Structure formats: structure tokens, C-alpha cells
Amino acid sequence: MVLILNRKIIGARSYNGPGDDDDGLVNTPRDMNGHGTHVASTAAGIMVPGASYHGLASGTAKGGSLGSRIAVYRICTPNGCAGSSILAAFSDAIKDGVDILSLSLGSPASRISDFKEDPIAIGAFHAVENGITVVCSAGNDGPSEKTVSNSAPWILTVAATTIDRRFESNVVFDKNKVIKVKMFFLEAIKFLFLMKLPLSFAFATSNLSSNKIVDLKHNECSHFNSG
């Protein structure tokens, strides 16, 4: 409702691939799993005071371009993101006169295609030829070499990076022993907040005092996966 009232959404289209059953899918540009909403808010979300990550890092959240408006092109379905849908959305976006196209999707590193066969690279080329800036995600693989997707030279490819902040949380062990934990892996914090379960590690904890600070690196807490 907020997005409608502040006139953020100015266009919305949806596409089903050739393998999709039109009667079995919701033919709507509405977000099906929250990913599109998340990306749209990152790009052009209004200022939201009192935001936090489960109580941590509280403050005001805002998108990268507060004054921008959003046109939605829903190309993915439960069956995946068809190349024909991607190309159709590019064509419509060019006709609609958008200024920037943001695509937070791409092939995994093991299936990256040649530019002349990749629908994102092909569609992006035509968009750039029409004066549109195309921004794509670098994928979810890495950080090893040759794992970046959407690497066509006419695409602005964006990858995640680290930040210089640490998030602290109290971890309660048996016998009410509490330690302060500084984490870089936010899914571990989410696990601790939501599950409220006793925590144990492969290393000994008997000599940890109540004010001990423990740095949990990624490989030590990667088993905290909330799905």
C-alpha cells in the first residue's frame, strides 16, 4: 500500500515460459517469493526508520535511489526463468522507455553460456543500444575464479562484498553460561534469534569466561543454515 500511495510502482508485466501451464500458475507480476521485493527496495526504497536485523544494526534503511520509480517485469516462475520470457521483458522495457534495467538473476557458473547464446547478454545488448543502463548480479558462486555470471562488457555487473562492521550477540550455553559472540555470518545470528536452542561447538568451552569474545569465522558457523 505504501508503494502505491507514493507512486513508486508505475508499471507491471508478467511472463510465463513455454513450459509453464497458464492455468496452473498465477499470471500476475506480484512477487512470488520475496526476492523481487527485496531487490526493488534495495534499488529505490523510501526511507524507513527503525529498521534492524533482528534487533541488530538498528537505524534508517533506504534504497540507493530514493527518487526513482519502479516498473516490474516478472519473468521467473516456479519452473525457472525462461529465455523467451527474459527477451520479451527486455523488449517491453525498451518500448516502455525505462532508464535503468536491474536483473538480479543469472546462470550458475557451471552453465554460463557464450554471449551470443545467453538471453540476458543478448537482451542487455539491445537495451544498451537504446540508451538503457543494464545492471546485473554477478551470481551466487565464488569467490574462486571463473565464477562470475553476466560478465558481458556492456553490462554493469555487481557483486557482494564484505563490510567493516561486526555484529555481537549473546549465546547462552548450558548452566546459564553466556558469552558474547562477534559474527560476520548473519545467518548464524538469525538462527540464534529464531531457534532459541542451546549451542555447542567442536572445540572445548570449559575455559571460556562470561566476558570472553569469540570470533566465529565463516567456516566455523557455516552449518547454521536456515534454508
Side-chain angles (χ1 to χ4, degrees), residues 98-130:
V98 303
D99 299 303
I100 300 174
L101 273 168
S102 173
L103 286 82
S104 186
L105 70 150
S107 300
S110 59
R111 297 175 55 189
I112 295 177
S113 303
D114 187 84
F115 294 158
K116 65 178 181 294
E117 299 175 352
D118 181 4
I120 295 179
I122 296 171
F125 182 84
H126 290 284
V128 171
E129 284 288 288
N130 283 271

mmCIF file of all heavy atoms in Angstrom, residues 98-130:
data_model
loop_
_atom_site.group_PDB
_atom_site.id
_atom_site.type_symbol
_atom_site.label_atom_id
_atom_site.label_comp_id
_atom_site.label_asym_id
_atom_site.label_seq_id
_atom_site.Cartn_x
_atom_site.Cartn_y
_atom_site.Cartn_z
ATOM 1 N N VAL A 98 12.174 2.684 -20.127
ATOM 2 C CA VAL A 98 12.849 2.700 -18.833
ATOM 3 C C VAL A 98 14.254 3.288 -18.990
ATOM 4 O O VAL A 98 14.829 3.293 -20.082
ATOM 5 C CB VAL A 98 12.929 1.283 -18.225
ATOM 6 C CG1 VAL A 98 11.544 0.672 -18.097
ATOM 7 C CG2 VAL A 98 13.843 0.381 -19.045
ATOM 8 N N ASP A 99 14.805 3.773 -17.905
ATOM 9 C CA ASP A 99 16.144 4.358 -17.918
ATOM 10 C C ASP A 99 17.217 3.361 -17.481
ATOM 11 O O ASP A 99 18.342 3.381 -17.981
ATOM 12 C CB ASP A 99 16.201 5.579 -16.996
ATOM 13 C CG ASP A 99 15.234 6.667 -17.439
ATOM 14 O OD1 ASP A 99 15.345 7.096 -18.594
ATOM 15 O OD2 ASP A 99 14.379 7.066 -16.636
ATOM 16 N N ILE A 100 16.875 2.510 -16.512
ATOM 17 C CA ILE A 100 17.815 1.529 -15.969
ATOM 18 C C ILE A 100 17.096 0.196 -15.828
ATOM 19 O O ILE A 100 15.949 0.143 -15.382
ATOM 20 C CB ILE A 100 18.367 1.970 -14.593
ATOM 21 C CG1 ILE A 100 19.114 3.302 -14.704
ATOM 22 C CG2 ILE A 100 19.287 0.900 -14.009
ATOM 23 C CD1 ILE A 100 19.546 3.867 -13.366
ATOM 24 N N LEU A 101 17.770 -0.875 -16.200
ATOM 25 C CA LEU A 101 17.248 -2.217 -16.007
ATOM 26 C C LEU A 101 18.122 -2.947 -14.993
ATOM 27 O O LEU A 101 19.350 -3.011 -15.145
ATOM 28 C CB LEU A 101 17.239 -2.987 -17.326
ATOM 29 C CG LEU A 101 15.992 -2.801 -18.198
ATOM 30 C CD1 LEU A 101 16.237 -3.371 -19.586
ATOM 31 C CD2 LEU A 101 14.791 -3.478 -17.554
ATOM 32 N N SER A 102 17.507 -3.486 -13.952
ATOM 33 C CA SER A 102 18.223 -4.238 -12.934
ATOM 34 C C SER A 102 17.751 -5.685 -12.966
ATOM 35 O O SER A 102 16.563 -5.961 -12.792
ATOM 36 C CB SER A 102 17.977 -3.632 -11.544
ATOM 37 O OG SER A 102 18.535 -4.450 -10.535
ATOM 38 N N LEU A 103 18.677 -6.606 -13.202
ATOM 39 C CA LEU A 103 18.350 -8.025 -13.259
ATOM 40 C C LEU A 103 19.143 -8.770 -12.191
ATOM 41 O O LEU A 103 20.361 -8.906 -12.290
ATOM 42 C CB LEU A 103 18.679 -8.625 -14.631
ATOM 43 C CG LEU A 103 17.750 -8.268 -15.796
ATOM 44 C CD1 LEU A 103 18.113 -6.911 -16.376
ATOM 45 C CD2 LEU A 103 17.829 -9.342 -16.872
ATOM 46 N N SER A 104 18.452 -9.220 -11.173
ATOM 47 C CA SER A 104 19.109 -9.993 -10.129
ATOM 48 C C SER A 104 18.878 -11.473 -10.385
ATOM 49 O O SER A 104 18.231 -12.181 -9.621
ATOM 50 C CB SER A 104 18.570 -9.593 -8.748
ATOM 51 O OG SER A 104 19.302 -10.238 -7.728
ATOM 52 N N LEU A 105 19.395 -11.944 -11.512
ATOM 53 C CA LEU A 105 19.305 -13.350 -11.888
ATOM 54 C C LEU A 105 20.426 -13.661 -12.848
ATOM 55 O O LEU A 105 21.058 -12.762 -13.401
ATOM 56 C CB LEU A 105 17.955 -13.669 -12.533
ATOM 57 C CG LEU A 105 17.692 -13.100 -13.934
ATOM 58 C CD1 LEU A 105 16.765 -13.999 -14.707
ATOM 59 C CD2 LEU A 105 17.087 -11.698 -13.850
ATOM 60 N N GLY A 106 20.673 -14.929 -13.051
ATOM 61 C CA GLY A 106 21.731 -15.337 -13.966
ATOM 62 C C GLY A 106 21.998 -16.825 -13.851
ATOM 63 O O GLY A 106 21.514 -17.489 -12.927
ATOM 64 N N SER A 107 22.756 -17.358 -14.777
ATOM 65 C CA SER A 107 23.086 -18.778 -14.778
ATOM 66 C C SER A 107 24.154 -19.084 -13.738
ATOM 67 O O SER A 107 25.001 -18.237 -13.444
ATOM 68 C CB SER A 107 23.595 -19.201 -16.157
ATOM 69 O OG SER A 107 22.630 -18.977 -17.156
ATOM 70 N N PRO A 108 24.133 -20.292 -13.152
ATOM 71 C CA PRO A 108 25.238 -20.682 -12.273
ATOM 72 C C PRO A 108 26.525 -20.796 -13.064
ATOM 73 O O PRO A 108 26.519 -20.909 -14.297
ATOM 74 C CB PRO A 108 24.783 -22.053 -11.731
ATOM 75 C CG PRO A 108 23.796 -22.557 -12.724
ATOM 76 C CD PRO A 108 23.107 -21.347 -13.285
ATOM 77 N N ALA A 109 27.647 -20.769 -12.360
ATOM 78 C CA ALA A 109 28.951 -20.761 -13.025
ATOM 79 C C ALA A 109 29.144 -21.974 -13.922
ATOM 80 O O ALA A 109 29.805 -21.890 -14.958
ATOM 81 C CB ALA A 109 30.062 -20.701 -11.978
ATOM 82 N N SER A 110 28.549 -23.094 -13.560
ATOM 83 C CA SER A 110 28.735 -24.317 -14.341
ATOM 84 C C SER A 110 27.952 -24.316 -15.644
ATOM 85 O O SER A 110 28.162 -25.178 -16.503
ATOM 86 C CB SER A 110 28.316 -25.538 -13.506
ATOM 87 O OG SER A 110 26.946 -25.427 -13.124
ATOM 88 N N ARG A 111 27.049 -23.331 -15.820
ATOM 89 C CA ARG A 111 26.199 -23.321 -17.012
ATOM 90 C C ARG A 111 26.243 -21.992 -17.754
ATOM 91 O O ARG A 111 25.342 -21.669 -18.519
ATOM 92 C CB ARG A 111 24.750 -23.628 -16.610
ATOM 93 C CG ARG A 111 24.547 -25.009 -16.015
ATOM 94 C CD ARG A 111 23.125 -25.195 -15.536
ATOM 95 N NE ARG A 111 22.160 -24.941 -16.585
ATOM 96 C CZ ARG A 111 20.834 -24.864 -16.384
ATOM 97 N NH1 ARG A 111 20.352 -25.016 -15.165
ATOM 98 N NH2 ARG A 111 20.022 -24.634 -17.385
ATOM 99 N N ILE A 112 27.278 -21.211 -17.551
ATOM 100 C CA ILE A 112 27.392 -19.925 -18.224
ATOM 101 C C ILE A 112 27.554 -20.139 -19.728
ATOM 102 O O ILE A 112 28.386 -20.926 -20.168
ATOM 103 C CB ILE A 112 28.573 -19.114 -17.667
ATOM 104 C CG1 ILE A 112 28.304 -18.751 -16.198
ATOM 105 C CG2 ILE A 112 28.802 -17.851 -18.486
ATOM 106 C CD1 ILE A 112 29.444 -18.012 -15.530
ATOM 107 N N SER A 113 26.731 -19.436 -20.516
ATOM 108 C CA SER A 113 26.723 -19.605 -21.965
ATOM 109 C C SER A 113 27.578 -18.540 -22.642
ATOM 110 O O SER A 113 27.939 -17.514 -22.045
ATOM 111 C CB SER A 113 25.290 -19.509 -22.500
ATOM 112 O OG SER A 113 24.451 -20.460 -21.894
ATOM 113 N N ASP A 114 27.889 -18.785 -23.895
ATOM 114 C CA ASP A 114 28.535 -17.777 -24.721
ATOM 115 C C ASP A 114 27.600 -16.591 -24.885
ATOM 116 O O ASP A 114 26.373 -16.740 -24.867
ATOM 117 C CB ASP A 114 28.872 -18.388 -26.085
ATOM 118 C CG ASP A 114 29.701 -17.442 -26.930
ATOM 119 O OD1 ASP A 114 30.925 -17.407 -26.766
ATOM 120 O OD2 ASP A 114 29.079 -16.730 -27.751
ATOM 121 N N PHE A 115 28.162 -15.399 -25.056
ATOM 122 C CA PHE A 115 27.341 -14.197 -25.141
ATOM 123 C C PHE A 115 26.260 -14.306 -26.213
ATOM 124 O O PHE A 115 25.128 -13.862 -26.016
ATOM 125 C CB PHE A 115 28.217 -12.970 -25.425
ATOM 126 C CG PHE A 115 29.157 -12.615 -24.307
ATOM 127 C CD1 PHE A 115 30.299 -11.856 -24.551
ATOM 128 C CD2 PHE A 115 28.912 -13.032 -23.012
ATOM 129 C CE1 PHE A 115 31.160 -11.516 -23.520
ATOM 130 C CE2 PHE A 115 29.761 -12.706 -21.970
ATOM 131 C CZ PHE A 115 30.892 -11.950 -22.231
ATOM 132 N N LYS A 116 26.588 -14.905 -27.344
ATOM 133 C CA LYS A 116 25.618 -14.969 -28.450
ATOM 134 C C LYS A 116 24.493 -15.972 -28.192
ATOM 135 O O LYS A 116 23.522 -16.024 -28.950
ATOM 136 C CB LYS A 116 26.330 -15.319 -29.750
ATOM 137 C CG LYS A 116 26.959 -16.692 -29.823
ATOM 138 C CD LYS A 116 27.588 -16.921 -31.184
ATOM 139 C CE LYS A 116 28.212 -18.300 -31.315
ATOM 140 N NZ LYS A 116 29.367 -18.449 -30.410
ATOM 141 N N GLU A 117 24.591 -16.749 -27.112
ATOM 142 C CA GLU A 117 23.556 -17.707 -26.756
ATOM 143 C C GLU A 117 22.874 -17.369 -25.436
ATOM 144 O O GLU A 117 21.900 -18.019 -25.054
ATOM 145 C CB GLU A 117 24.154 -19.116 -26.668
ATOM 146 C CG GLU A 117 24.754 -19.615 -27.976
ATOM 147 C CD GLU A 117 25.430 -20.963 -27.815
ATOM 148 O OE1 GLU A 117 25.555 -21.418 -26.655
ATOM 149 O OE2 GLU A 117 25.817 -21.552 -28.834
ATOM 150 N N ASP A 118 23.378 -16.378 -24.732
ATOM 151 C CA ASP A 118 22.851 -16.005 -23.421
ATOM 152 C C ASP A 118 21.738 -14.977 -23.592
ATOM 153 O O ASP A 118 21.981 -13.866 -24.068
ATOM 154 C CB ASP A 118 23.980 -15.428 -22.569
ATOM 155 C CG ASP A 118 23.528 -15.025 -21.176
ATOM 156 O OD1 ASP A 118 22.356 -15.249 -20.831
ATOM 157 O OD2 ASP A 118 24.361 -14.477 -20.426
ATOM 158 N N PRO A 119 20.482 -15.283 -23.197
ATOM 159 C CA PRO A 119 19.392 -14.327 -23.397
ATOM 160 C C PRO A 119 19.582 -13.024 -22.634
ATOM 161 O O PRO A 119 19.146 -11.961 -23.103
ATOM 162 C CB PRO A 119 18.157 -15.095 -22.900
ATOM 163 C CG PRO A 119 18.686 -16.177 -22.025
ATOM 164 C CD PRO A 119 20.008 -16.553 -22.593
ATOM 165 N N ILE A 120 20.243 -13.075 -21.475
ATOM 166 C CA ILE A 120 20.485 -11.834 -20.729
ATOM 167 C C ILE A 120 21.479 -10.954 -21.473
ATOM 168 O O ILE A 120 21.275 -9.739 -21.620
ATOM 169 C CB ILE A 120 20.987 -12.145 -19.306
ATOM 170 C CG1 ILE A 120 19.899 -12.856 -18.496
ATOM 171 C CG2 ILE A 120 21.428 -10.862 -18.603
ATOM 172 C CD1 ILE A 120 20.332 -13.216 -17.087
ATOM 173 N N ALA A 121 22.555 -11.553 -21.962
ATOM 174 C CA ALA A 121 23.554 -10.777 -22.712
ATOM 175 C C ALA A 121 22.957 -10.208 -23.991
ATOM 176 O O ALA A 121 23.210 -9.048 -24.346
ATOM 177 C CB ALA A 121 24.760 -11.659 -23.032
ATOM 178 N N ILE A 122 22.128 -11.004 -24.694
ATOM 179 C CA ILE A 122 21.507 -10.539 -25.944
ATOM 180 C C ILE A 122 20.531 -9.403 -25.671
ATOM 181 O O ILE A 122 20.561 -8.348 -26.321
ATOM 182 C CB ILE A 122 20.797 -11.708 -26.645
ATOM 183 C CG1 ILE A 122 21.813 -12.772 -27.076
ATOM 184 C CG2 ILE A 122 20.008 -11.208 -27.849
ATOM 185 C CD1 ILE A 122 21.186 -14.049 -27.576
ATOM 186 N N GLY A 123 19.644 -9.611 -24.692
ATOM 187 C CA GLY A 123 18.665 -8.572 -24.361
ATOM 188 C C GLY A 123 19.324 -7.311 -23.846
ATOM 189 O O GLY A 123 18.919 -6.196 -24.193
ATOM 190 N N ALA A 124 20.369 -7.473 -23.025
ATOM 191 C CA ALA A 124 21.079 -6.313 -22.491
ATOM 192 C C ALA A 124 21.752 -5.518 -23.597
ATOM 193 O O ALA A 124 21.798 -4.281 -23.546
ATOM 194 C CB ALA A 124 22.103 -6.764 -21.456
ATOM 195 N N PHE A 125 22.282 -6.218 -24.593
ATOM 196 C CA PHE A 125 22.931 -5.524 -25.710
ATOM 197 C C PHE A 125 21.945 -4.602 -26.419
ATOM 198 O O PHE A 125 22.252 -3.437 -26.693
ATOM 199 C CB PHE A 125 23.505 -6.544 -26.698
ATOM 200 C CG PHE A 125 24.239 -5.926 -27.847
ATOM 201 C CD1 PHE A 125 25.568 -5.561 -27.730
ATOM 202 C CD2 PHE A 125 23.591 -5.680 -29.051
ATOM 203 C CE1 PHE A 125 26.252 -4.980 -28.789
ATOM 204 C CE2 PHE A 125 24.261 -5.101 -30.117
ATOM 205 C CZ PHE A 125 25.595 -4.750 -29.986
ATOM 206 N N HIS A 126 20.742 -5.102 -26.684
ATOM 207 C CA HIS A 126 19.735 -4.277 -27.353
ATOM 208 C C HIS A 126 19.286 -3.119 -26.460
ATOM 209 O O HIS A 126 19.032 -2.008 -26.943
ATOM 210 C CB HIS A 126 18.535 -5.134 -27.760
ATOM 211 C CG HIS A 126 18.830 -6.085 -28.877
ATOM 212 N ND1 HIS A 126 18.943 -5.671 -30.187
ATOM 213 C CD2 HIS A 126 19.049 -7.428 -28.884
ATOM 214 C CE1 HIS A 126 19.210 -6.709 -30.963
ATOM 215 N NE2 HIS A 126 19.286 -7.785 -30.198
ATOM 216 N N ALA A 127 19.197 -3.367 -25.157
ATOM 217 C CA ALA A 127 18.810 -2.300 -24.235
ATOM 218 C C ALA A 127 19.866 -1.193 -24.215
ATOM 219 O O ALA A 127 19.539 0.002 -24.276
ATOM 220 C CB ALA A 127 18.601 -2.874 -22.836
ATOM 221 N N VAL A 128 21.131 -1.572 -24.135
ATOM 222 C CA VAL A 128 22.214 -0.589 -24.118
ATOM 223 C C VAL A 128 22.246 0.185 -25.428
ATOM 224 O O VAL A 128 22.498 1.400 -25.450
ATOM 225 C CB VAL A 128 23.560 -1.287 -23.850
ATOM 226 C CG1 VAL A 128 24.727 -0.319 -24.039
ATOM 227 C CG2 VAL A 128 23.582 -1.863 -22.442
ATOM 228 N N GLU A 129 21.981 -0.504 -26.539
ATOM 229 C CA GLU A 129 21.922 0.180 -27.834
ATOM 230 C C GLU A 129 20.824 1.240 -27.858
ATOM 231 O O GLU A 129 20.884 2.192 -28.633
ATOM 232 C CB GLU A 129 21.672 -0.843 -28.941
ATOM 233 C CG GLU A 129 22.884 -1.671 -29.318
ATOM 234 C CD GLU A 129 23.909 -0.849 -30.088
ATOM 235 O OE1 GLU A 129 23.642 -0.535 -31.263
ATOM 236 O OE2 GLU A 129 24.956 -0.506 -29.499
ATOM 237 N N ASN A 130 19.821 1.083 -26.995
ATOM 238 C CA ASN A 130 18.732 2.052 -26.900
ATOM 239 C C ASN A 130 18.913 3.022 -25.730
ATOM 240 O O ASN A 130 17.953 3.663 -25.304
ATOM 241 C CB ASN A 130 17.398 1.326 -26.762
ATOM 242 C CG ASN A 130 16.895 0.756 -28.076
ATOM 243 O OD1 ASN A 130 16.198 1.426 -28.832
ATOM 244 N ND2 ASN A 130 17.258 -0.500 -28.346
#
